[in-house]
DNA sequence: ACCGTGCGTCAAGGCGGCGTCAACAGACCT
DNA sequence: AGGTCTGTTGACGCCGCCTTGACGCACGGT
C-alpha cells in the first residue's frame, strides 16, 4: 500500500468542549486533526488542508448543516460524517440526501465514531490508492499494478516466473535480496538451494531489459549472497 | 449519468415479518429486491444476483453476522448496511471493522434506512461510473453504461457471463487481471481454480469481437497469470 | 599452476497450460 | 411439448514455458 501517513480529519464543531474531546481522542488514535468552529471556516479549511474525512456537527452558528454539506459536495467528495443532537428522522434524511456519508446522534460512543471513521476512510481509500506503482530506470520502466514492462517505448513481455522474480526485486529496490528469499518466494519453500534457477532467470531478465546484458546496471549480482535491483 | 435501471437490493433477514416489510417498502421506492433468509444463502445470492447494496440483519440462524461480512468482503466490495436489534457499541465496531458500510439499530425509521441506502448507492456509484463509459478499439466499441458492444456499426450480443467478463477486463483496461480475480468476480468465490471457464469464454469473446480470433489484438493472454484488455 | 566454487550462457526435452471443438443439460420462450 | 440459447464439462492437439544438464569463465585458495 501507499499511505503510511496518518489520515487527516477535519472536526467542525462550535462547542469547544466537544471539539476538544474529539481532538484528544482522534490524535490519540494517530489521526491528524484540524478544527473549524463554524461553517464558513469549515469550507475554507477543506479547501486549504484537504482532509481525508470531515466530522461535521450540525447546529453551527452561521450556516445550516445542510448548507455546509451542499457547499462541500459542489466541488469535493471527501467523506462527511455528521454529528447531531437531534435524532429526528427528517434531519437525518436531509443530511444524508445532501451528500453526507453517515449520521451519528449525540450522545455517541467514541468507539463507534472511530469505527465509522475507519469505515469512511477505508471506502474512499481503496478507490484512490491504486495509482502508485511505477518504477523507472534509465533504460526501462516497470508498472507494478498493470504488470507491464516497457523499454524504449515498446512493451517487453515477461513470463510468469520472470515477472514474479522481477516484482520481488523491484519491491525491494536498492536492497539486497538473498537467494534463499528469492527462491522461497518465487519457487516455493522446497527450492531453497536451487540457485541455478536464479542464474537462468536473472540472465533472461538481463537479456530482455539491460542495454548490455553482460554488464548489468540494474540487476546486480552480489556474489555468494543474492541479487539487487538498482533503479 | 448511467443508471436509469433500478438499484438491486439484497435483503438478508430470517424474520419473515421484517423481510416482508422491507420488500414492500423498497419495492415501492423503485428498488428491485432480492431476499435471503440466512447467511449461506446470502453469500450465494450475492454471487448470483450481483446486488448494488446489501441490507444485512444480524442474528441469522446459521452464521454470525461478522462472518457473513467477512465472507463477502473477501472477494466483493458491494456496500453492506447492517441492521441489528443490539445497540451495543462493540457489535457496531466489530461489524464496521469487518467491512460493513453502515450500522442501523432497530427499531429504525424506514425513512432513515432509505436515506442511508441512497447514500450507500450514491457513494459506490460515483467511484464505479467513472464518466468515460465508452471505450474504443480499432475494431469494436464498448459502452459500459448502456451495456452494449458494437462492431462495424452492427451491435454484437453478449450473454450475461460474457458481459461480466468483458466488463471486468475493460474496467481494468491496460492492466493484467489475474485468473483468480476474474473467476472470483464473474463466477463467485468458489470457482478459484476453474480456469477452463476462462479459456472457453475468452475464446467466445475473441470469436465475436476480434477481427482475427486466433491472433488476438485486444484480448490478450498472459500465460500462467491471467488476461489483459488493450484498447 | 592447479583445482574448486560460484556465476553466466546455451540448448534440449517434458509437460503443463492454452485454445478449440463438441456434446450435454437446463433455462427460457413460444 | 418443442425449439433455441446459454452455461457447463470433457477430449485433444499444440505451443510455450519451466526445468535440467553441459560447458566456459572468473576468481580465490592451496
Amino acid at each position: 500500500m501507499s499511505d503510511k501517513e496518518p489520515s487527516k480529519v477535519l472536526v467542525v464543531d462550535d462547542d469547544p468542549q466537544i471539539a476538544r474531546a474529539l481532538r484528544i481522542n482522534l490524535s490519540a488514535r494517530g489521526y491528524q486533526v484540524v478544527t473549524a468552529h463554524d461553517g464558513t471556516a469549515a469550507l475554507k479549511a477543506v479547501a486549504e488542508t484537504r482532509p481525508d474525512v470531515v466530522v461535521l456537527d450540525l447546529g453551527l452558528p452561521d450556516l445550516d448543516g445542510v448548507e455546509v454539506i451542499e457547499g462541500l459536495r459542489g466541488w469535493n467528495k471527501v467523506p462527511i460524517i455528521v454529528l447531531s443532537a437531534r435524532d429526528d428522522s427528517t434531519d437525518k434524511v436531509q443530511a444524508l440526501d445532501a451528500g453526507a456519508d453517515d449520521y451519528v446522534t449525540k450522545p455517541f460512543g467514541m468507539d463507534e465514531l472511530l469505527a465509522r471513521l475507519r469505515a469512511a476512510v477505508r471506502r474512499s481509500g481503496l478507490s484512490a490508492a491504486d495509482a502508485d506503482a511505477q518504477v523507472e530506470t534509465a533504460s526501462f520502466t516497470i508498472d507494478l499494478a498493470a504488470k507491464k514492462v516497457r523499454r524504449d517505448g515498446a512493451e517487453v513481455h515477461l513470463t510468469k516466473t520472470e515477472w514474479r522474480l522481477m516484482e520481488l526485486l523491484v519491491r525491494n529496490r536498492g536492497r539486497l535480496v538473498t537467494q534463499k528469499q528469492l527462491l522461497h518466494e518465487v519457487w516455493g519453500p522446497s527450492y531453497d538451494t536451487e540457485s541455478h534457477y536464479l542464474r537462468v532467470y536473472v540472465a533472461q531478465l538481463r537479456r530482455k531489459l539491460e542495454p548490455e546484458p553482460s554488464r548489468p546496471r540494474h540487476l546486480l549480482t552480489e556474489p555468494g549472497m543474492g541479487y539487487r535491483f538498482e533503479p
Side-chain angles (χ1 to χ4, degrees), chain A:
Chain A
M1 305 308 177
S2 55
D3 36 17
K4 315 177 174 194
E5 317 126 34
S7 298
K8 193 188 295 179
V9 186
L10 172 63
V11 174
V12 187
D13 203 316
D14 63 321
D15 181 344
Q17 286 278 30
I18 299 184
R20 195 176 120 80
L22 285 172
R23 171 183 280 284
I24 291 173
N25 271 286
L26 292 174
S27 302
R29 306 298 172 124
Y31 290 94
Q32 185 181 342
V33 181
V34 181
T35 52
H37 56 288
D38 61 32
T40 42
L43 293 172
K44 216 173 97 188
V46 171
E48 282 170 4
T49 67
R50 301 295 170 135
D52 299 302
V53 54
V54 176
V55 176
L56 173 65
D57 187 74
L58 292 192
L60 296 173
D62 56 341
L63 295 177
D64 181 47
V66 174
E67 287 178 307
V68 179
I69 297 171
E70 284 168 349
L72 277 175
R73 277 290 172 269
W75 58 280
N76 195 305
K77 56 188 191 332
V78 58
I80 303 173
I81 299 180
V82 169
L83 291 183
S84 170
R86 306 189 53 182
D87 196 11
D88 185 2
S89 174
T90 27
D91 288 344
K92 296 186 188 178
V93 172
Q94 275 177 12
L96 290 168
D97 280 343
D101 288 71
D102 206 340
Y103 190 107
V104 182
T105 54
K106 296 191 257 191
F108 55 87
M110 188 54 69
D111 288 347
E112 179 183 344
L113 179 65
L114 286 165
R116 289 187 184 271
L117 245 136
R118 283 193 294 274
V121 172
R122 160 165 34 93
R123 270 196 305 263
S124 69
L126 42 84
S127 57
D130 275 332
D132 54 352
Q134 186 104 339
V135 181
E136 303 216 15
T137 76
S139 43
F140 56 93
T141 72
I142 299 162
D143 188 327
L144 289 174
K147 288 195 177 20
K148 265 191 198 167
V149 180
R150 266 192 309 280
R151 179 184 174 182
D152 306 328
E155 185 171 332
V156 180
H157 182 87
L158 297 187
T159 71
K160 177 177 154 189
T161 310
E162 285 166 359
W163 178 261
R164 285 228 284 261
L165 181 58
M166 191 68 196
E167 184 175 20
L168 196 54
L169 288 169
V170 170
R171 288 204 191 279
N172 293 283
R173 69 195 83 132
R175 290 204 295 269
L176 168 76
V177 189
T178 66
Q179 299 189 3
K180 196 172 183 175
Q181 196 174 340
L182 290 167
L183 289 165
H184 219 87
E185 297 268 337
V186 177
W187 280 272
S190 52
Y191 290 72
D192 279 9
T193 60
E194 302 280 341
S195 61
H196 189 47
Y197 287 172
L198 287 178
R199 290 197 283 280
V200 172
Y201 273 90
V202 170
Q204 277 175 359
L205 286 176
R206 291 208 256 245
R207 189 148 35 81
K208 287 187 176 182
L209 300 176
E210 292 275 7
E212 220 175 340
S214 52
R215 301 196 182 251
R217 291 162 56 193
H218 303 108
L219 292 164
L220 310 178
T221 306
E222 301 279 353
M225 313 195 62
Y227 293 87
R228 174 203 310 271
F229 172 75
E230 280 292 346

